[in-house]
């Protein structure tokens, strides 16, 4: 279930990214989101 949530969050973030610098920021946000889910 956690993997499914992480994949959905990743897909949503990546669809909103338009530049490579934006991609880096998006990847960082995904990492933080996954970390937050892992702590719960």
């Amino acid at each position: 279930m956690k993997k499914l949530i992480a994949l959905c969050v990743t897909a949503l973030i990546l669809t909103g990214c338009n530049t490579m610098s934006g991609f880096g920021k998006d990847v960082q946000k995904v990492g933080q989101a996954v970390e937050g889910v892992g702590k719960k």
Side-chain angles (χ1 to χ4, degrees):
M1 183 66 173
K2 290 181 184 179
K3 289 182 182 181
L4 178 62
I5 293 171
L7 288 173
C8 290
V9 170
T10 302
L12 288 172
I13 291 174
L14 289 178
T15 57
C17 134
N18 293 323
T19 65
M20 288 308 287
S21 65
F23 179 75
K25 291 178 184 177
D26 290 343
V27 170
Q28 186 176 25
K29 288 179 185 177
V30 169
Q32 291 172 348
V34 171
E35 184 177 306
V37 170
K39 289 182 180 179
K40 290 183 180 180

